[in-house]
Amino acid sequence: MFIPLSIILSVFNTPEFYIIVSVIAAAIVAVASLPERKGEVKLHLLAGQLLTSEDQQDSCGPGHGTITFEVHSGNIISVRRSGLTGVSMAGALSLAVRVSGFDIVIEERATPGPHSPAGMADSAVFHLDFLAPEWYHIRYESEQFSEHASLTLHVREGIRVVKSLIH
C-alpha cells in the first residue's frame, strides 16, 4: 500500500496539528517555570561560647564585626563572630540556623546579660556539624546590631572564609 507523500505532508497544514503542537509547547513551558522544590526547612539552634580579647588571637574590636567560617575534618564548621559590643561574659549569643536545600539563613540572637566581673565579650564561637560537603549560600543577620553578610561556602576540609559584617 503506497500513500503519496503529498497526503502525508498535508497533515502539517491542518488546524488540529497546530493545536496539538501548541498544547505540547505550553506544557513544556509550564513544567520549565515550576519553582524549585527545596524540601522542608530545618531549624538548628546553637549556643555560642563567648570570648574576651584575652581568649582569642585575632580580635577585630568593637564596631568592626566579622564572621569567619572554617571547615575542619568530618565536615565540622567553626563559626567565629568577632566585633561584639554590649554583651557581657554573663550574657549569651546564640544562632538560629535555617537550612533549606543549599540556602542557609543564620539569625544572631544576643542577650546582653548583667555586668560581669569577667568583663565584656567581643567574640563568640559556634560549631555546625549538620552540613554535607556541598556549596552553600549563606546569609548572616544580626538584627540587634544591624549587621549582615552574605557569602558562599564550600564545605571541604581546610576552607576558611572571612567576611566583614556590613552595618
Side-chain angles (χ1 to χ4, degrees):
M1 184 110 182
F2 178 70
I3 301 175
L5 186 59
S6 61
I7 294 176
I8 294 174
L9 293 177
S10 67
V11 170
F12 297 115
N13 292 328
T14 62
E16 292 84 4
F17 172 76
Y18 288 104
I19 291 172
I20 292 171
V21 169
S22 298
V23 169
I24 292 172
I28 291 171
V29 169
V31 168
S33 65
L34 285 175
E36 183 179 332
R37 290 178 178 89
K38 293 183 182 180
E40 66 181 272
V41 174
K42 294 181 182 174
L43 174 65
H44 302 274
L45 301 174
L46 305 173
Q49 175 188 357
L50 294 176
L51 304 170
T52 62
S53 58
E54 296 87 36
D55 295 335
Q56 62 174 349
Q57 301 164 358
D58 56 345
S59 175
C60 297
H64 302 285
T66 61
I67 190 81
T68 304
F69 291 84
E70 191 167 353
V71 184
H72 306 284
S73 64
N75 298 331
I76 296 175
I77 301 157
S78 63
V79 179
R80 178 178 294 238
R81 195 319 190 175
S82 302
L84 282 176
T85 57
V87 178
S88 74
M89 290 299 287
L93 193 72
S94 61
L95 299 179
V97 182
R98 287 180 169 73
V99 181
S100 176
F102 299 111
D103 295 327
I104 299 173
V105 176
I106 301 174
E107 295 176 9
E108 180 182 275
R109 298 174 180 173
T111 304
H115 177 71
S116 170
M120 301 299 282
D122 58 10
S123 68
V125 175
F126 305 88
H127 297 287
L128 286 71
D129 60 356
F130 46 82
L131 298 178
E134 294 287 344
W135 286 90
Y136 291 92
H137 305 284
I138 300 174
R139 188 173 75 222
Y140 188 95
E141 299 174 349
S142 174
E143 187 175 323
Q144 182 168 348
F145 299 109
S146 299
E147 296 178 320
H148 65 276
S150 294
L151 61 117
T152 301
L153 177 68
H154 186 191
V155 177
R156 189 178 72 200
E157 184 177 349
I159 299 288
R160 185 172 192 263
V161 178
V162 179
K163 187 77 173 182
S164 295
L165 293 169
I166 299 170
H167 191 66

